[in-house]
Amino acid sequence: MATVEPSDIAKLAQLARIAVSEQQSGEVASRITEVLNLVDQLQAADTRDVEPMAHPLDAVQRLRADQVTEQNRREAFQAIAPAVEDGLYLVPRVIEE
Amino acid sequence: MEWETVIGLEVHVQLATKTKIFSGASTAYGAAPNTQACAIDLAMPGTLPVANEAAFRYAVMFGLAVHAEIGKRSVFERKNYFYPDLPKGYQTTQLAEPIVGPGYVDLELSEGRTKRVRIHHAHLEEDAGKSLHEDYHGMSGIDLNRAGTPLIEVVTEPDMRSAEEAVAFAKKLHNIATSLEICDGDMSQGSMRFDVNISVRPKGQETLGTRTETKNLNSFRFMEEAIALEVERQIDVLEDGGKIVQETRLYNGETKVARSMRTKEDSDDYRYFPCPDLLPVILDDQYINEVRQQMPELPEARRERFVADYGLTEYDATQLTAERAVADYFEATVKACGEAKLAANWIMADLSAYLNKEELSITQSKVTPIQLAGLITRLTDGTLSSKIAKQVFEAMTLGEGDADTIIEARGLKQVSDTGALEKLVDEVIANNTKQVDNYRSADEAKRPKMLGFFVGQIMKASKGQANPQAVNDILKKKLEG
C-alpha cells in the first residue's frame, strides 16, 4: 500500500513547478495516495508476455529529408511573447546554483 | 595507499545536419537570436515533430565506426524537467531503445601501448537553447536557435584509468566524428562537449568508489586539468577519513577551480516515458548497408593507406592521422610537392612547434599546405639549404608570403655556383693555415671530423647560404689535392 507524505508533495510540486500550499498538501497527499492505490490494483495483473504499448498505431516513424523548410518568423512569434529584447525571449531570471 | 582512478565519459556530439532533428529550421551557427527557432522548436501548441533522416544516418555511421550494433528499432522518450532554454518542458531523447548499442574504440597511447574502451551505447537527442544571464531588467534572455539541434550522446563504460587515457579517448572520438563529417568538431563553439565521471579506489579493489560528474568540458586541456584536480581532491577526502558525495561539479578553465553544483534531479525525477508524438523508427539492413557504403574513410584506414601509399612509418602515419585536419594538411602538401617523407617531417617538427607556440590549430596555420610544399620543392631542388629553409619557414609563419617571394625578398638563395664557392673556400684556407697543416698531416680516419671546422667557417662566411654538399666536395679537393 503506497502512502504519500506531505513532504513528497512538496518535492513533486517543486519538480512540476506548481504551487501547493501547506494547507492543501494534506488533501493532495491523500488524493495521490488513492491514485497510487489504483495503480497497485493494476500492478496485480500479469503482464509478463505483454509488450508495452506506447502507441495505439501499428505504424513506424516517417523520416524527413534534411532540407531547410522553415523561414524566419521571429517577428510573428515574438509579437505574442510577454517580453522580448534584442531578439531574445525574456523570462524570470534563472540563477544556476 | 596506492589509488586507482576510474573514468567514464559522456560525450555530446553535435551533428552537422542542415536542419534540426525534429523541424526544418536551419542549424547554421551564428544567426541572429531566435531567427532559426520555428514553431516546433518553440513548442507552439498543435505542432508535431518530424524526425530528420540525416540525424539517423549520421548516428548509424558513428555506430558502425565504433563496431557497435545498430538499433534497428529505436524509440524516443521524454525526459521531463523545467528550464527556460527547453520550451517543451522535456527533452526528446532515447533511453531504453537507443540507435547505437554496445561497441568499442581502440586507443593508441604513449610508448606504443594500446587500450580498448567499451562504448555502453549512444543515443540521439535534441540540444537545448541558450540562456543569457546578462541582466535584462532583472530577467534572463533566451535564444532558442540551438534548441532542437541533433546530438548523439556517447556513453562509455568506466574503462579509463588515467587522464591520459580519457584525453586519448576524447581525441579519438573527435577524430572519428570529424573524419565521418558528422560533426564539425569545433569545440570552442560547443560542437563536442564532455562530461567526465570520476572515482578512485584502492588499487586491487574490485568495487567502484563513489563517483562525481564534472560537466561540460569543452577542450582537451580543460579535461586533463579537471581530471587531475578531481582525482587529487577525492584522494585527499578519502585519506582524511571522509566520504565522496555523489554530485555534479563544474570546472572553470580560466580560474582552474572546480565547484560543486547543487545536485539536480535524480534520474527518477525526470519521469522518462515514450514520446507519444513520435513513433518507433525502424531501420532495415538495406538502409544500414547503404550507409556503410557511403561512409568516408576512417582514421585507421587512412593510417594504413599512408603507410602503403606514401611509404611512411607506422609511427609517422599514426601521428599524422590522429587528427583529421592534420591528415588533410599532409595530403594537400604531398599532392603539391610529391615529397611524402619530407612533408611528414616538416609537419610533425617545424609546423607543429610553430602551432604549439602560437596556440593555433592546424586550420588556423598561417603557412598553407601549398606554401609548405613550395618550401619543400626549393629544398629538394637545391635552392635552399635545410638551415635556410627553416628561416624561410619562420618568415612564412609571419605572413611574408610563399617560399619564392621570401627567398627573393631576403636574398636567401643557396650558393651552389662553383666559382663563388671556390673563392670562399680559398679565403678560409688562406686564413686558417695552422688548421690546414694539421689536416694534411692527420690520419685518414680523423680527417672527416676535422673537415667540419672548415665547412663551418665557410657556412658562416656565406651566412648559411653555401650549398654544404658542394662546399664539401670543393674543400676536399683543395685540401687533399
Side-chain angles (χ1 to χ4, degrees):
Chain A
M1 196 67 103
T3 329
V4 178
E5 304 291 338
S7 62
D8 298 324
I9 296 302
K11 186 171 184 213
L12 284 175
Q14 199 252 329
L15 288 173
R17 302 292 191 273
I18 294 172
V20 179
S21 72
E22 238 174 275
Q23 282 160 306
Q24 292 169 307
S25 81
E27 199 206 327
V28 174
S30 65
R31 285 202 191 174
I32 289 186
T33 303
E34 278 172 38
V35 174
L36 290 178
N37 288 341
L38 190 67
V39 172
D40 277 348
Q41 280 183 38
L42 291 171
Q43 296 277 38
D46 183 1
T47 57
R48 256 177 306 180
D49 298 324
V50 182
E51 224 181 277
M53 184 186 74
H55 302 275
L57 305 172
D58 189 19
V60 298
Q61 181 66 40
R62 215 171 55 94
L63 299 176
R64 156 181 75 74
D66 185 24
Q67 281 159 8
V68 177
T69 52
E70 296 286 345
Q71 302 312 314
N72 172 22
R73 291 170 61 206
R74 184 174 80 179
E75 223 167 287
F77 294 137
Q78 298 205 331
I80 52 168
V84 292
E85 195 170 318
D86 301 339
L88 300 166
Y89 293 94
L90 299 191
V91 298
R93 195 155 183 193
V94 196
I95 310 282
E96 265 197 72
E97 291 181 55
Chain B
M1 186 184 299
E2 206 180 333
W3 297 91
E4 182 178 51
T5 305
V6 177
I7 300 170
L9 293 178
E10 289 165 31
V11 188
H12 286 96
V13 180
Q14 215 173 63
L15 297 180
T17 53
K18 293 190 198 74
T19 63
K20 308 277 174 85
I21 184 168
F22 299 123
S23 83
S26 170
T27 55
Y29 184 84
N34 293 307
T35 54
Q36 293 174 173
C38 71
I40 293 174
D41 309 326
L42 295 174
M44 287 292 183
T47 56
L48 278 175
V50 185
N52 181 348
E53 184 272 333
F56 282 85
R57 185 158 22 100
Y58 289 0
V60 169
M61 277 190 197
F62 176 78
L64 294 172
V66 298
H67 319 279
E69 209 172 290
I70 303 302
K72 288 185 188 161
R73 176 191 148 95
S74 68
V75 171
F76 285 104
E77 310 216 15
R78 292 183 176 182
K79 179 182 181 180
N80 298 278
Y81 66 97
F82 288 99
Y83 205 75
D85 60 16
L86 188 78
K88 290 187 293 191
Y90 58 84
Q91 180 191 31
T92 306
T93 180
Q94 300 184 314
L95 184 71
E97 296 177 86
I99 179 76
V100 175
Y104 64 85
V105 169
D106 286 329
L107 306 180
E108 294 87 29
L109 300 164
S110 59
E111 288 151 16
R113 287 178 304 131
T114 58
K115 165 119 194 177
R116 176 162 293 184
V117 173
R118 291 168 300 156
I119 307 268
H120 180 275
H121 78 276
H123 60 260
L124 271 168
E125 62 184 25
E126 58 181 342
D127 210 342
K130 277 183 185 159
S131 310
L132 294 120
H133 294 291
E134 281 118 71
D135 196 358
Y136 285 95
H137 333 289
M139 300 178 92
S140 291
I142 306 292
D143 176 8
L144 294 168
N145 279 351
R146 199 179 66 182
T149 298
L151 303 174
I152 45 174
E153 180 176 339
V154 183
V155 181
T156 76
E157 298 287 355
D159 283 352
M160 288 151 279
R161 293 290 173 271
S162 65
E164 186 209 351
E165 291 180 7
V167 171
F169 176 85
K171 286 185 173 167
K172 183 77 183 252
L173 209 65
H174 185 271
N175 195 5
I176 290 171
T178 51
S179 294
L180 290 173
E181 294 168 357
I182 62 171
C183 174
D184 69 19
D186 190 339
M187 296 179 52
S188 65
Q189 292 178 357
S191 294
M192 213 179 256
R193 312 192 289 268
F194 298 90
D195 300 344
V196 190
N197 290 301
I198 304 169
S199 66
V200 298
R201 62 182 172 191
K203 205 156 184 134
Q205 178 181 304
E206 190 98 357
T207 50
L208 293 170
T210 305
R211 67 185 162 86
T212 64
E213 182 178 21
T214 303
K215 277 189 107 72
N216 266 332
L217 298 163
N218 66 352
S219 89
F220 300 128
R221 186 156 51 94
F222 291 167
M223 192 169 147
E224 196 167 358
E225 291 168 0
I227 292 171
L229 194 68
E230 177 60 9
V231 167
E232 195 183 305
R233 186 190 71 87
Q234 290 192 10
I235 292 174
D236 282 350
V237 168
L238 292 170
E239 289 191 339
D240 288 346
K243 268 192 170 161
I244 303 300
V245 181
Q246 188 171 342
E247 63 183 357
T248 302
R249 298 179 67 81
L250 275 183
Y251 176 73
N252 184 328
E254 303 300 317
T255 59
K256 314 285 177 214
V257 172
R259 63 180 175 86
S260 171
M261 267 168 82
R262 202 186 54 166
T263 347
K264 281 208 305 191
E265 284 88 5
D266 297 325
S267 62
D268 278 354
D269 294 339
Y270 287 123
R271 294 152 290 147
Y272 280 94
F273 64 89
C275 181
D277 286 348
L278 287 157
L279 293 158
V281 175
I282 308 295
L283 305 175
D284 58 19
D285 286 328
Q286 195 196 332
Y287 178 85
I288 294 168
N289 279 331
E290 277 169 19
V291 173
R292 198 193 301 272
Q293 303 301 322
Q294 294 166 9
M295 269 170 61
E297 188 179 35
L298 280 163
E300 279 156 29
R302 200 169 194 186
R303 182 182 63 200
E304 281 162 30
R305 186 166 60 79
F306 278 15
V307 173
D309 289 6
Y310 298 124
L312 297 184
T313 61
E314 279 285 337
Y315 177 83
D316 288 358
T318 304
Q319 297 287 307
L320 290 169
T321 54
E323 198 184 323
R324 157 85 195 259
V326 175
D328 288 347
Y329 190 105
F330 168 75
E331 289 212 270
T333 309
V334 175
K335 203 176 155 208
C337 72
E339 296 285 341
K341 184 63 196 162
L342 275 173
N345 289 346
W346 275 88
I347 291 167
M348 291 188 297
D350 298 80
L351 183 74
S352 127
Y354 147 70
L355 296 173
N356 277 340
K357 191 172 137 237
E358 302 292 328
E359 294 187 4
L360 297 174
S361 72
I362 199 159
T363 50
Q364 298 167 312
S365 169
K366 280 239 174 74
V367 183
T368 65
I370 299 297
Q371 288 178 334
L372 181 60
L375 177 66
I376 290 169
T377 303
R378 289 294 162 260
L379 195 56
T380 49
D381 72 10
T383 308
L384 295 174
S385 67
S386 48
K387 196 174 160 202
I388 301 284
K390 285 184 194 294
Q391 283 180 34
V392 174
F393 180 80
E394 206 183 314
M396 281 181 174
T397 66
L398 300 172
E400 291 184 23
D402 61 23
D404 288 345
T405 311
I406 295 164
I407 293 166
E408 187 64 41
R410 295 192 170 195
L412 293 174
K413 213 166 184 157
Q414 175 166 272
V415 182
S416 303
D417 170 49
T418 322
L421 287 178
E422 276 189 13
K423 222 180 115 207
L424 276 172
V425 173
D426 287 341
E427 274 171 30
V428 169
I429 289 179
N431 293 336
N432 296 283
T433 45
K434 209 176 136 206
Q435 282 85 350
V436 173
D437 288 344
N438 284 346
Y439 181 91
R440 286 186 172 143
S441 58
D443 273 4
E444 191 76 33
K446 284 188 180 160
R447 282 184 174 179
K449 225 176 181 178
M450 300 174 77
L451 199 66
F453 165 77
F454 297 102
V455 176
Q457 294 295 310
I458 293 159
M459 293 309 286
K460 208 164 134 194
S462 74
K463 299 195 179 68
Q465 279 169 254
N467 179 334
Q469 193 51 51
V471 169
N472 255 299
D473 293 346
I474 297 168
L475 248 177
K476 267 196 203 150
K477 226 183 280 165
K478 296 227 177 220
L479 286 172
E480 288 161 27

